[in-house]
Amino acid sequence: MKHRVLPSIAVVTALVALVGCSATEDDTEKSQAGSTTAMADVGDVAPALDAYHKKDVLRLWQRPGLSDRDRSLVTVAHMIAGGHTAELPFYVDKAIGDGVRPREISEAVTHLAFYSGWQNARAAIPGIRSVFDERGVKKSELPAVQPDLLPLDQEAEKTRDDDVRSDFDAVSPGVVESTRDVVFRDLWLRPDLRPRDRSLVTVVSLITNGQSEQLTYHLGRAMDNGLTSAQAGEMLNQLAFYAGWPRVFSALPVAKDVLNSRT
């Protein structure tokens, strides 16, 4: 079995307190699967759900198709984009344990404000801050407000902007202008989340919120930025459990077309 980084002692301790027993190997396995809901409560209310969790969700987190870091980043992005704040601290803590840097989490929540809405990003702040405070993350460790931006691909950006202006300038020139100046010539060039990961959290947000219409462009961009077909497929598998089968099956035909176009 490949090595996996455990969540912090404080998180494991809190989980153990919820179930009122000592920290056994089985408890640690449960905590690694990522649920702050007391396992005893799940078993008392929905024993079949408890069984699926123990059998299938634990196995999901052990699959080799994504690194532990990527799997945690995908899950945190889903939690933020979907407004799932109750269990977010657990997943943020686990993500840091799995190698996602606090500055990358900070940058991901900033990025997701543009793709899942300001309200979802802001709602995630208290849960993320609680983990940062527990881990002693200082503000000086987080991304600068105005960093030196990554180089702009002038040709690709001109093509993208020309297409958007042609389609929508007469409808909403403000959206076209903001898309160009704020999103693609600023946000996407911030250096503290590498382009591949920025694309990954964008794709996760689109699937989480059922916005498959935008998936062709952004999944293609993710692959241009280094996401492999195998990683894309396993990202979809992860989201099936966390976002639900219908949202993933709505995305599958689009993903299939994008992946087939790359072979």
Side-chain angles (χ1 to χ4, degrees), residues 207-230:
I207 295 171
T208 294
N209 291 301
Q211 296 164 332
S212 297
E213 301 88 346
Q214 300 293 312
L215 192 56
T216 298
Y217 173 80
H218 282 289
L219 183 55
R221 188 182 180 105
M223 299 186 75
D224 290 340
N225 286 332
L227 188 72
T228 68
S229 297

Side-chain angles (χ1 to χ4, degrees), residues 100-176:
V100 184
R101 296 178 300 166
R103 66 190 310 111
E104 293 173 320
I105 292 171
S106 174
E107 197 64 26
V109 74
T110 299
H111 185 88
L112 288 167
F114 288 83
Y115 283 89
S116 65
W118 236 246
Q119 65 279 12
N120 282 337
R122 290 177 64 87
I125 296 300
I128 297 172
R129 179 169 187 172
S130 70
V131 177
F132 283 7
D133 287 348
E134 180 184 340
R135 285 181 168 266
V137 177
K138 298 179 176 63
K139 191 173 181 179
S140 60
E141 300 175 56
L142 303 179
V145 174
Q146 293 181 311
D148 293 332
L149 299 179
L150 298 174
L152 176 67
D153 184 332
Q154 298 282 354
E155 182 178 354
E157 170 54 17
K158 183 179 185 306
T159 299
R160 186 211 59 76
D161 185 47
D162 286 347
D163 288 344
V164 172
R165 284 194 295 109
S166 175
D167 287 341
F168 303 119
D169 205 30
V171 180
S172 179
V175 169
V176 173

